[in-house]
Amino acid sequence: MSRKTRIFLAVAALAAVLGYRALAPGPSADDDRVAGDTAAHPRVLGQLAFQPCSLVSPARGDSLEAQCATLEVPEDRAAPQGRRIALNIALLSPDKPEGVQPDPVFFLAGGPGQSAVESYPQIDAAFAEVRKRRNVILVDQRGTGRSNLLACDGAGAGAGDDDAGIDAMRDAAAACAAALSARADLRHYTTTDAVADLDAVREAIGAAQVNLVGVSYGTRVAQQYAMRHPQRTRSVVLDSVVPNTLQLGNIFARNLDDALALQFARCSGTPACREALGDPRAELDTLLDTLRARPRTVRYRDAGTGEEREGVLHAETVAGLVRMYAYMPQAAALLPKLIHEARNGRYDNLMALAQMMQGEMRDAMAMGMQLSVICSEDSQGMTARDGDERTVLGNRMAQGLAAMCAVWPKGDVPGDFHAALSTPVPALVLEGEFDPVTPPRYGEEVVRSLPNGRLFVLRGQGHAVLGAGCMPKLFAQFVDKADAAALEGACLQKLDYVPPFTSFNGWEP
């Protein structure tokens, strides 16, 4: 891996961060998609001819049968005769064609930088009931997946050269922009461009209306589409919502600290955990200070190969791991134990898991597309704040992104881009109680301007909650009736907290 790639990975470990499941690898990006048995016949939907394909997911260990097609659109709609982009599209149809509803469901992936086609198999189970009556459409947003992928020197998202300086990050971004400029005008890979692409797909398949399901950054795309095309939007599901009004800036540092306070309280409030592991936040602060003063060379066993390896553990490596684990309560339950072990000089488990996370995340995000979105839409908010210096993440991510955006080409955004979504379109808004990036207060803000919207905050859950508990059933009912107020959410009370691990064998009984 080149130093330039490692520099991008160092920022992306903290910034590629609104994705669906940060800890799980996406489906294979191999070019060979195999025809499946249950989707063996070509399909025509409107003007698009689909061919059988399989969406292969290493995380699932199996394949998902689908139909695939492409649609060419102008890269710059102001210059329709110029360069064109082939949008990669997948279609998942009901097993029985009888009674298929005319309004399909569009799944919008997170990131920015995730491929919808590659990330969808991880959450297909949540769509099981929806797929009985509606087509599900997956469109790789321009710059991701197979829609003219904009990857920087092979970098996706992960941690890497943790001692890379701000100047090195800026230089790496400038070099990446120069390399990509031969095949892409980076100014035209914004959310606004993606919304126009989605409407082109809707028109091509002949759908009068669509149902939008956005996860994390995908909620920004969904809100922007509903703003621009309210008559074509039948319903909206916003899972872990990013408010339109929000400029990303350095929101991540404070949000993570708030979520960690809630998650670590599960240990502090449990006598066995408190006795065994002490105060997780105090131990984390001490560990980070120790590593900032002197990074440690650590011998560890590679989780994938079992081989002995050696690496340098930086404070930024730990911060990145803590942030990614905080996305999922099942992983966050292990953090107090990992931190306690490292605080007492046993760094190997923490190092092994950090390296495993980097491997899983690598290539999961299209860093070039991510910078085109963030730098065009959010760069004004990339400022350091004194109050964030003592947070786990600090100001490094905001400073690094600001440096990168200083040299990255920027596209235009509408004047009302950051206006709150205010529409009568039925909306289901979902948040996890412990979400470290899009906390419940974001959902509260968004639903205030949605007269037909309803918010569910899922107890003990983290980021991206569509598949938690009975939420798939409620999701299917909402898409069917487009009535959030009628949903009976009492079943969500069965969700419980994950107890904190007091040892690597689990929690105290």
Side-chain angles (χ1 to χ4, degrees):
M1 183 188 301
S2 72
R3 176 177 172 82
K4 195 177 299 178
T5 296
R6 294 196 304 271
I7 291 170
F8 272 108
L9 291 175
V11 174
L14 304 179
V17 277
L18 298 178
Y20 179 72
R21 285 295 190 203
L23 299 178
S28 170
D30 293 342
D31 286 336
D32 296 326
R33 283 182 288 187
V34 183
D37 295 331
T38 61
H41 302 291
R43 286 282 312 277
V44 175
L45 204 59
Q47 302 170 17
L48 293 186
F50 289 82
Q51 296 294 326
C53 62
S54 291
L55 312 183
V56 181
S57 171
R60 289 168 52 94
D62 57 10
S63 62
L64 183 62
E65 306 311 322
Q67 300 270 335
C68 294
T70 60
L71 175 68
E72 284 199 350
V73 295
E75 182 182 58
D76 178 2
R77 284 184 163 79
Q81 303 307 314
R83 181 162 44 208
R84 299 181 72 79
I85 301 170
L87 299 176
N88 183 44
I89 306 166
L91 163 67
L92 297 114
S93 299
D95 291 335
K96 298 179 180 180
E98 301 83 9
V100 175
Q101 299 301 299
D103 46 287
V105 173
F106 278 45
F107 167 69
L108 310 174
Q114 278 191 320
S115 155
V117 174
E118 294 177 1
S119 59
Y120 173 82
Q122 299 175 52
I123 60 168
D124 177 60
F127 285 73
E129 289 298 316
V130 170
R131 286 184 56 194
K132 291 179 179 179
R133 290 170 52 81
R134 283 177 171 82
N135 291 317
V136 173
I137 305 291
L138 315 174
V139 181
D140 277 347
Q141 187 168 333
R142 58 170 60 195
T144 74
R146 299 182 186 181
S147 297
N148 199 23
L149 176 67
L150 301 182
C152 292
D153 195 17
D161 198 356
D162 295 306
D163 60 352
I166 300 300
D167 290 343
M169 294 177 187
R170 181 180 59 248
D171 292 345
C176 177
L180 292 175
S181 63
R183 59 182 181 83
D185 184 338
L186 299 174
R187 299 172 300 169
H188 298 296
Y189 287 79
T190 67
T191 301
T192 303
D193 294 304
V195 165
D197 291 342
L198 287 176
D199 201 52
V201 174
R202 177 205 59 79
E203 183 177 9
I205 63 175
Q209 286 191 315
V210 296
N211 303 279
L212 303 174
V213 180
V215 178
S216 200
Y217 162 72
T219 66
R220 172 177 282 187
V221 181
Q223 290 170 89
Q224 290 293 321
Y225 186 96
M227 285 178 68
R228 311 302 163 194
H229 307 291
Q231 300 305 315
R232 299 167 188 167
T233 308
R234 177 178 174 271
S235 72
V236 178
V237 177
L238 305 175
D239 180 0
S240 305
V241 64
V242 182
N244 265 354
T245 55
L246 187 69
Q247 288 208 14
L248 296 185
N250 199 17
I251 62 167
F252 305 114
R254 180 53 52 196
N255 288 349
L256 174 60
D257 269 36
D258 290 346
L260 289 176
L262 295 174
Q263 294 176 5
F264 287 164
R266 303 300 303 172
C267 179
S268 300
T270 305
C273 188
R274 184 174 62 249
E275 181 178 346
L277 306 178
D279 180 346
R281 181 53 197 257
E283 294 222 326
L284 176 59
D285 287 342
T286 302
L287 173 62
L288 292 174
D289 286 342
T290 298
L291 293 175
R292 289 186 187 109
R294 184 169 69 87
R296 295 296 198 269
T297 298
V298 180
R299 291 195 62 81
Y300 66 97
R301 187 175 299 278
D302 186 284
T305 66
E307 297 177 357
E308 289 282 337
R309 296 189 182 277
E310 187 175 278
V312 179
L313 184 65
H314 296 264
E316 290 79 11
T317 313
V318 175
L321 179 71
V322 167
R323 184 163 199 270
M324 294 298 99
Y325 269 40
Y327 273 53
M328 300 175 65
Q330 297 88 341
L334 186 59
L335 282 176
K337 177 61 177 176
L338 287 170
I339 293 166
H340 184 74
E341 289 289 303
R343 173 69 184 88
N344 287 279
R346 297 181 289 273
Y347 299 103
D348 54 328
N349 285 319
L350 191 63
M351 186 69 174
L353 289 170
Q355 294 301 314
M356 182 175 69
M357 181 193 73
Q358 294 167 24
E360 289 180 346
M361 292 180 64
R362 190 165 296 132
D363 300 326
M365 297 284 174
M367 191 67 181
M369 174 271 191
Q370 184 179 95
L371 287 174
S372 286
V373 169
I374 291 177
C375 296
S376 298
E377 300 165 10
D378 301 291
S379 59
Q380 291 182 348
M382 298 296 172
T383 57
R385 299 188 303 194
D386 292 341
D388 290 334
E389 283 297 335
R390 289 298 299 170
T391 62
V392 172
L393 295 182
N395 283 306
R396 188 169 184 264
M397 184 184 72
Q399 292 168 331
L401 285 171
M404 289 175 152
C405 288
V407 297
W408 197 266
K410 300 173 184 63
D412 296 326
V413 296
D416 62 348
F417 185 86
H418 285 295
L421 175 64
S422 180
T423 176
V425 171
L428 178 61
V429 183
L430 312 176
E431 296 286 3
E433 180 186 6
F434 291 166
D435 191 333
V437 60
T438 58
R441 69 177 184 276
Y442 287 179
E444 294 168 0
E445 175 186 338
V446 168
V447 82
R448 278 197 291 268
S449 59
L450 300 174
N452 292 314
R454 185 174 178 186
L455 169 66
F456 285 105
V457 178
L458 277 64
R459 180 171 60 190
Q461 301 303 301
H463 190 67
V465 297
L466 193 64
C470 66
M471 202 64 245
K473 179 184 73 173
L474 298 177
F475 162 49
Q477 291 172 356
F478 172 71
V479 173
D480 190 37
K481 303 296 184 183
D483 185 354
L487 297 177
E488 294 289 344
C491 61
L492 292 173
Q493 295 305 311
K494 296 179 181 179
L495 289 170
D496 207 350
Y497 296 103
V498 179
F501 281 41
T502 53
S503 74
F504 291 120
N505 292 322
W507 53 81
E508 291 292 321

